[in-house]
């Protein structure tokens, strides 16, 4: 293939072309340093500028208050599944979780090793195709925190910004791996948010965390040094070698996002992109969306024909047309289009046009 494709991968996922161009320009000699960002010391002045700019843009884009610490970590979002309970489940040893999919259940499974986990609700009964109703009377009043997966990458559901649970003072912890920076959330409603970079912020290897200051410094004694937030806070994320190159690309993405008009502008485009696809799915007589309307993700859009053979043919034919990675997650089947920030309107238009063609041919 000598041409770029429309890449609908759920992660690692498409990056803005201008960012890749810029990185390739800097590949051999970053800003006159005579070396690539991959080759420089993480304690050098030139790298220090990169990580500082990345942090300041990240704070700015998300509107993160000064009383939060921003961390650049490794281990993926999956490491946060245990890091969170080890660091936060330390006053009453209780935490509330909502089971909205595979990632949520993995987070629950880890947390159970460290304390009392109360699973408030689950949407497993219908293959996680909706966000379950939550009854505030069932919330644990003295829980150390309340965990949600804000966007469910595999199933295509999300807690919309106006539908976050009101936890009545219990710190809300949110896994925002697949929708960070895609629409405006009031981050200050959370005690902690975390996100692996490879969906909306860059290459894998980097995990961003924003944690309210008062939640730092209470880790369990058994907590490994590398999994203690305080260690990383005190060292400004340079306790050991951070994922330098991923941080550099994330910085370029944050710059790109800011040039696009920030998260508000991104949200507008993302809503237009998602509406184009959902509207077609709702009127199509062949394809249908699998998620309840109010809970639909702007980032991950699963759909099916209801016929496995047709689904297979669709994936095959779309791939041949340069619309790639549309196969649904193995646990759901069908198709899934992940349309993160870097996916252009043109990409979604091309997809919908192809779907219409496929529908006409397979009436
Ligand atoms: C991808 C993903 C994860 C896992 O991320 P890793 O960085 O691979 O550990 C966790 N939660 C959500 C919501 C995800 O989309």
């Amino acid at each position: 293939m000598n041409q770029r494709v429309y890449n609908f991968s759920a992660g690692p996922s498409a990056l803005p072309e201008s960012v890749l161009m810029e990185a390739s320009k800097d590949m051999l000699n970053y800003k006159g340093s005579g070396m690539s960002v991959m080759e420089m010391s993480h304690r050098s002045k030139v790298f220090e500028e990169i990580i500082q700019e990345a942090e300041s843009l990240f704070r700015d884009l998300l509107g993160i208050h000064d009383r939060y610490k921003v961390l650049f970590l490794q281990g993926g979002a999956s490491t946060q599944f245990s890091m969170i309970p080890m660091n936060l489940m330390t006053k009453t040893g209780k935490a509330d979780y909502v089971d909205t999919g595979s990632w949520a259940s993995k987070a629950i499974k880890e947390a159970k090793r460290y304390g009392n986990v109360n699973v408030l609700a689950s949407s497993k009964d219908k293959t996680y195709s909706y966000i379950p109703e939550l009854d505030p009377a069932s919330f644990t009043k003295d829980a150390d925190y309340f965990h949600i997966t804000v966007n469910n990458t595999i199933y295509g559901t999300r807690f919309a910004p106006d539908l976050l649970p009101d936890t009545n003072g219990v710190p809300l912890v949110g896994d925002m791996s697949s929708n960070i920076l895609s629409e405006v959330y009031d981050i200050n409603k959370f005690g902690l948010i975390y996100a692996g970079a490879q969906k909306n912020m860059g290459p894998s290897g980097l995990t961003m965390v924003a944690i309210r200051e008062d939640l730092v410094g209470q880790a369990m004694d058994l907590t490994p040094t590398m999994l203690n937030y305080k260690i990383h806070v005190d060292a400004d994320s340079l306790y050991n070698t951070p994922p330098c190159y991923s941080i550099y690309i994330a910085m370029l993405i944050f710059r790109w996002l800011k040039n696009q008009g920030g998260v508000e502008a991104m949200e507008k485009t993302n809503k237009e992109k998602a509406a184009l696809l959902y509207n077609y799915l709702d009127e199509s007589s062949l394809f249908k969306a699998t998620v309840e309307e109010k809970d639909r993700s702007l980032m991950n859009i699963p759909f099916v024909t209801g016929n496995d053979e047709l689904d297979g043919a669709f994936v095959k034919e779309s791939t041949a047309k340069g619309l790639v990675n549309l196969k649904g997650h193995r646990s759901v089947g069908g198709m899934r289009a992940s349309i993160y920030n870097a996916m252009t309107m043109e990409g979604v238009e091309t997809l919908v046009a192809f779907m219409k063609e496929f529908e006409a041919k397979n009436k």
Side-chain angles (χ1 to χ4, degrees):
M1 181 126 340
N2 48 21
Q3 205 182 325
R4 283 184 55 83
V5 292
Y6 292 115
N7 179 6
F8 295 92
S9 169
S13 45
L15 298 178
E17 219 167 277
S18 63
V19 165
L20 295 174
M21 296 290 288
E22 167 114 26
S24 73
K25 200 171 69 85
D26 284 345
M27 182 59 76
L28 297 181
N29 182 356
Y30 179 74
K31 282 199 177 163
S33 64
M35 60 182 90
S36 146
V37 175
M38 275 180 267
E39 302 170 294
M40 59 182 57
S41 165
H42 57 294
R43 312 221 178 260
S44 62
K45 181 96 183 68
V46 55
F47 183 73
E48 206 172 276
E49 280 169 16
I50 292 173
I51 194 169
Q52 282 169 2
E53 181 178 346
E55 173 169 347
S56 116
L57 286 167
F58 185 75
R59 284 182 175 275
D60 197 36
L61 286 165
L62 287 172
I64 298 175
H65 194 275
D66 287 346
R67 68 177 183 282
Y68 289 75
K69 300 293 185 187
V70 167
L71 299 173
F72 297 80
L73 303 177
Q74 304 195 51
S78 302
T79 296
Q80 294 306 307
F81 297 164
S82 36
M83 198 157 170
I84 288 158
M86 281 186 197
N87 282 267
L88 267 51
M89 225 182 198
T90 55
K91 287 181 181 151
T92 62
K94 301 180 203 167
D96 284 348
Y97 277 73
V98 186
D99 176 24
T100 53
S102 311
W103 297 119
S105 4
K106 284 184 175 159
I108 289 166
K109 188 168 165 224
E110 284 303 308
K112 281 183 172 166
R113 300 175 194 275
Y114 305 100
N116 272 314
V117 172
N118 182 17
V119 180
L120 295 171
S122 170
S123 47
K124 194 171 182 180
D125 59 338
K126 291 186 185 158
T127 331
Y128 296 117
S129 57
Y130 65 102
I131 298 286
E133 201 71 46
L134 298 175
D135 173 13
S138 69
F139 297 3
T140 308
K141 288 189 182 52
D142 60 348
D144 286 330
Y145 63 92
F146 186 122
H147 182 280
I148 58 171
T149 310
V150 184
N151 186 77
N152 297 280
T153 325
I154 296 173
Y155 307 93
T157 62
R158 88 191 197 290
F159 285 87
D162 55 339
L163 295 176
L164 292 175
D166 179 358
T167 58
N168 204 8
V170 171
L172 183 63
V173 171
D175 179 352
M176 299 190 78
S177 292
S178 49
N179 73 336
I180 194 155
L181 296 163
S182 68
E183 65 180 318
V184 178
Y185 279 84
D186 183 357
I187 299 300
N188 303 303
K189 282 187 179 160
F190 291 85
L192 185 156
I193 57 158
Y194 63 101
Q198 70 274 20
K199 276 101 187 205
N200 231 352
M201 293 186 286
S204 59
L206 169 66
T207 309
M208 297 301 297
V209 170
I211 178 171
R212 220 173 56 206
E213 258 163 11
D214 61 290
L215 300 173
V216 177
Q218 311 157 16
M220 296 175 180
D221 285 341
L222 58 76
T223 306
T225 304
M226 278 297 290
L227 299 188
N228 190 325
Y229 290 123
K230 185 156 182 3
I231 294 287
H232 298 287
V233 165
D234 289 348
D236 293 324
S237 300
L238 296 171
Y239 172 74
N240 70 328
T241 319
C244 298
Y245 198 74
S246 297
I247 293 172
Y248 159 68
I249 300 287
M251 178 201 75
L252 293 181
I253 301 240
F254 299 155
R255 270 192 202 160
W256 171 81
L257 256 167
K258 195 173 167 177
N259 288 335
Q260 304 289 306
V263 178
E264 250 169 67
M266 218 67 239
E267 171 175 329
K268 189 168 168 283
T269 314
N270 285 333
K271 284 188 168 157
E272 287 166 9
K273 278 155 45 188
L276 184 67
L277 188 47
Y278 282 125
N279 288 342
Y280 168 64
L281 289 169
D282 287 343
E283 72 192 28
S284 167
S285 52
L286 180 65
F287 297 103
K288 82 178 192 354
T290 56
V291 171
E292 283 183 19
E293 200 166 336
K294 74 173 184 12
D295 300 326
R296 287 176 174 179
S297 167
L298 301 180
M299 298 283 98
N300 312 99
I301 305 185
F303 54 95
V304 294
T305 63
N307 173 330
D308 289 348
E309 241 169 75
L310 270 183
D311 286 354
F314 178 83
V315 170
K316 202 167 153 218
E317 290 176 33
S318 56
T319 306
K321 290 261 161 122
L323 298 155
V324 310
N325 289 320
L326 283 163
K327 193 171 172 11
H329 190 271
R330 59 190 182 282
S331 63
V332 188
M335 282 73 70
R336 170 180 51 172
S338 293
I339 52 172
Y340 297 115
N341 288 347
M343 174 54 65
T344 56
M345 188 59 160
E346 192 196 1
V348 181
E349 283 166 357
T350 309
L351 170 62
V352 171
F354 175 74
M355 290 168 78
K356 286 183 179 165
E357 215 178 278
F358 187 88
E359 175 168 358
K361 231 174 39 188
N362 292 282
K363 273 231 165 77

